[in-house]
Amino acid sequence: MYLSVRYGIGTVMTKPTGKLYQQVAQAIARAIDDGRYAVGTRLPGERELAEEFAVSRHTVREAMIALEIRGMVEARHGSGLYVVGTSNDGGTPAELDIGAFELIEARILFEGEAAAVAATVIDDEALAELDRILADMASFDPASAEAMETDRRFHLCIAEATGNTVISTVVAMLWSLRDRAPLSAHMFAEARREGIHPRVDEHRLIVDALRARDSALARKTMRDHLRRVVEDLLAATEVEVLRRARSEIEDQRGMVAKRLHA
């Protein structure tokens, strides 16, 4: 498979060298280094870049955040992302591993099926444990570390309820990657800062489906829940860009006010 890169001068086919968001980030970084996007200029919008590279909005968002972390682009004046440096200007060339959207895509696949399997074999003891976890989730401050850990316990409990060690190991690995992969950790941390936390009602719907031993419904409620996590992350990263832009505007207003009153 090749990545389509047009740069406005005709399509260029480049061989992939990493994950899709990394390919997009690398292509834009090369374009910046080659002067196609000069320092100080505005990058094309998210929708335009998605069309340019024939990828999803999620992939472009992860690529842009990766470039922000590397110090190559930043938000300005609420008008989009601007180039602020090249890959040789101090931005780290280290790979950022796994993005949050890529990770959730895998979780939708694995945890959706894990819930479907669990619905066929789950016992009363596991259901009681899930009820206890839901009670804990409802009692903790949503922004607390305890609430985050309770969310993890909930999903791992369902995976373990399948009775399949491979399934439970894979789900546990996906949860571990959420906090270990730098890009993913950055995006989830931003979501928490924006007040996005585990929703008890969505988790309760999953337990209801498991208690009914309804595999199709268990799969659907799990997938619906994780798709809402994707929507939350998109909203959180949009808010992050807007907040930085507002902060910069306020700084500029302050500077103008000082000059006017000098």
Side-chain angles (χ1 to χ4, degrees):
M1 180 179 176
Y2 286 74
L3 182 67
S4 174
V5 185
R6 289 192 286 273
Y7 295 132
I9 56 172
T11 300
V12 176
M13 304 304 289
T14 62
K15 189 174 182 179
T17 57
K19 299 178 179 67
L20 194 53
Y21 87 87
Q22 291 173 339
Q23 295 172 39
V24 173
Q26 288 164 1
I28 294 174
R30 284 195 298 270
I32 292 171
D33 290 341
D34 293 344
R36 295 188 183 99
Y37 300 130
V39 172
T41 61
R42 182 182 182 276
L43 285 172
E46 190 175 274
R47 188 182 302 276
E48 185 178 346
L49 286 170
E51 293 176 355
E52 186 77 13
F53 290 98
V55 296
S56 72
R57 180 187 177 195
H58 302 164
T59 298
V60 171
R61 181 68 56 81
E62 288 181 334
M64 292 300 98
I65 292 175
L67 291 173
E68 286 187 83
I69 293 173
R70 291 175 62 177
M72 297 183 69
V73 303
E74 70 177 14
R76 285 185 179 175
H77 308 304
S79 61
L81 288 167
Y82 284 74
V83 179
V84 295
T86 68
S87 61
N88 296 320
D89 291 339
T92 173
E95 295 295 349
L96 292 169
D97 300 322
I98 297 170
F101 297 122
E102 181 182 25
L103 179 61
I104 295 174
E105 183 179 41
R107 287 185 59 200
I108 289 171
L109 174 64
F110 285 101
E111 293 198 48
E113 292 309 308
V117 172
T120 67
V121 297
I122 195 166
D123 56 27
D124 291 341
E125 182 179 350
L127 287 168
E129 176 62 15
L130 286 170
D131 288 337
R132 286 191 290 272
I133 293 172
L134 284 176
D136 288 343
M137 191 180 293
S139 67
F140 290 134
D141 176 353
S144 67
E146 290 85 357
M148 298 299 108
E149 179 57 27
T150 300
D151 189 22
R152 182 194 301 265
R153 282 171 50 208
F154 178 89
H155 288 269
L156 295 185
C157 183
I158 292 174
E160 290 166 2
T162 65
N164 186 308
T165 303
V166 175
I167 291 175
S168 59
T169 299
V170 169
V171 172
M173 178 193 69
L174 291 173
W175 272 84
S176 177
L177 285 172
R178 190 183 80 158
D179 297 324
R180 285 171 44 209
L183 180 57
S184 177
H186 172 87
M187 296 178 75
F188 277 106
E190 186 56 38
R192 289 193 292 273
R193 282 193 292 272
E194 296 304 329
I196 295 172
H197 309 298
R199 296 188 180 98
V200 178
D201 57 339
E202 291 181 8
H203 291 79
R204 186 169 287 115
L205 289 174
I206 298 169
V207 175
D208 290 344
L210 292 170
R211 182 167 278 113
R213 269 68 177 186
D214 188 329
S215 291
L217 185 58
R219 179 187 296 110
K220 180 180 184 301
T221 52
M222 178 64 79
R223 288 181 172 178
D224 287 348
H225 161 60
L226 292 172
R227 289 187 182 110
R228 277 188 282 273
V229 174
V230 170
E231 293 170 3
D232 287 345
L233 285 171
L234 281 170
T237 49
E238 283 175 351
V239 168
E240 178 186 17
V241 171
L242 291 173
R243 187 183 63 246
R244 287 199 300 270
R246 284 195 298 269
S247 176
E248 185 172 341
I249 291 171
E250 288 303 316
D251 288 344
Q252 290 182 340
R253 284 176 177 166
M255 292 173 63
V256 170
K258 287 180 180 178
R259 287 197 294 269
L260 290 175
H261 291 89

